[in-house]
């Protein structure tokens, strides 16, 4: 498993822990709420760290994470953030409908390739991680080879 795949696996584990912390419990509500807050903060901090690292990789233009079309984290160089979010939300909706009609199962990723750039959208727990780069860049290779410093 290369660097990026291990980062996604770690984020999925944190997302699962946060989801479990949100389930109601008969125990002390104060402790449950504190645990949920801590799990949420841990997940969001990890998302921001990954977005920052991916945004520094050579060949990647920008990286952002969205939840229901709302920005959760972004690299320093994301321009047109609202357009990014709108594209994510509309693309995800269309892909989910198409996947259901075609029996594909849950959508894992969407890639939109334009004449100049491309945008990859990957589902990670409850959010969508978006990575933008030039059309010519092999995104998988860039994410595998070019591990950005923390």
């Amino acid at each position: 498993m290369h660097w990026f795949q291990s980062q996604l696996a770690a984020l999925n584990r944190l997302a699962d822990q946060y989801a479990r912390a949100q389930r109601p419990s008969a125990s002390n509500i104060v402790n449950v709420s504190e645990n949920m807050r801590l799990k949420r903060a841990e997940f969001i901090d990890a998302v921001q760290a990954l977005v920052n690292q991916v945004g520094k990789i050579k060949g990647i233009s920008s990286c952002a994470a969205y939840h229901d079309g709302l920005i959760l984290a972004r690299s320093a160089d994301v321009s047109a953030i609202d357009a990014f979010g709108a594209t994510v939300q509309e693309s995800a909706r269309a892909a989910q409908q198409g996947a259901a009609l075609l029996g594909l199962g849950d959508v894992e990723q969407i890639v939109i390739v334009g004449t100049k750039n491309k945008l990859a959208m990957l589902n990670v727990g409850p959010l969508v991680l978006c990575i933008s780069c030039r059309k010519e860049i092999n995104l998988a290779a860039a994410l595998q080879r070019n591990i950005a410093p923390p």
Side-chain angles (χ1 to χ4, degrees), residues 32 49 72 140 143 150:
V32 170
L72 181 65
L143 291 168

Side-chain angles (χ1 to χ4, degrees), residues 120-149:
M121 295 172 270
L122 302 99
N123 285 333
V124 181
L127 59 87
V128 178
L129 183 68
C130 302
I131 304 170
S132 177
C133 63
R134 301 277 308 153
K135 177 183 178 181
E136 299 79 27
I137 299 293
N138 180 326
L139 191 52
L143 291 168
Q144 184 172 2
R145 286 192 313 257
N146 299 319
I147 298 174

Side-chain angles (χ1 to χ4, degrees), residues 43-56:
F43 176 66
I44 291 173
D45 289 347
V47 169
Q48 185 64 61
L50 178 61
V51 165
N52 290 342
Q53 289 177 314
V54 170
K56 293 176 184 175

Side-chain angles (χ1 to χ4, degrees), residues 5-144:
Q5 288 175 323
S6 68
Q7 296 298 305
L8 292 180
L11 276 184
N12 276 314
R13 280 191 302 278
L14 290 171
D16 288 342
Q17 291 172 3
Y18 174 46
R20 283 194 304 275
Q22 290 176 312
R23 294 191 187 113
S25 173
S27 63
N28 184 333
I29 191 70
V30 174
N31 290 338
V32 170
S33 295
E34 179 65 9
N35 183 48
M36 184 173 62
R37 186 189 67 74
L38 291 172
K39 292 298 181 188
R40 181 182 187 278
E42 186 178 6
F43 176 66
I44 291 173
D45 289 347
V47 169
Q48 185 64 61
L50 178 61
V51 165
N52 290 342
Q53 289 177 314
V54 170
K56 293 176 184 175
I57 293 174
K58 182 181 178 187
I60 294 186
S61 308
S62 58
C63 183
Y66 292 87
H67 183 266
D68 290 335
L70 301 174
I71 186 79
L72 181 65
R74 70 181 198 166
S75 60
D77 54 357
V78 178
S79 60
I81 198 72
D82 291 333
F84 226 54
T87 300
V88 168
Q89 192 167 3
E90 290 302 312
S91 298
R93 183 179 301 125
Q96 288 168 347
Q97 290 172 350
L101 290 171
L102 297 171
L104 300 178
D106 293 336
V107 175
E108 292 182 354
Q109 62 181 312
I110 303 166
V111 179
I112 300 172
V113 180
T115 57
K116 296 179 184 178
N117 298 304
K118 63 183 162 189
L119 174 64
M121 295 172 270
L122 302 99
N123 285 333
V124 181
L127 59 87
V128 178
L129 183 68
C130 302
I131 304 170
S132 177
C133 63
R134 301 277 308 153
K135 177 183 178 181
E136 299 79 27
I137 299 293
N138 180 326
L139 191 52
L143 291 168
Q144 184 172 2

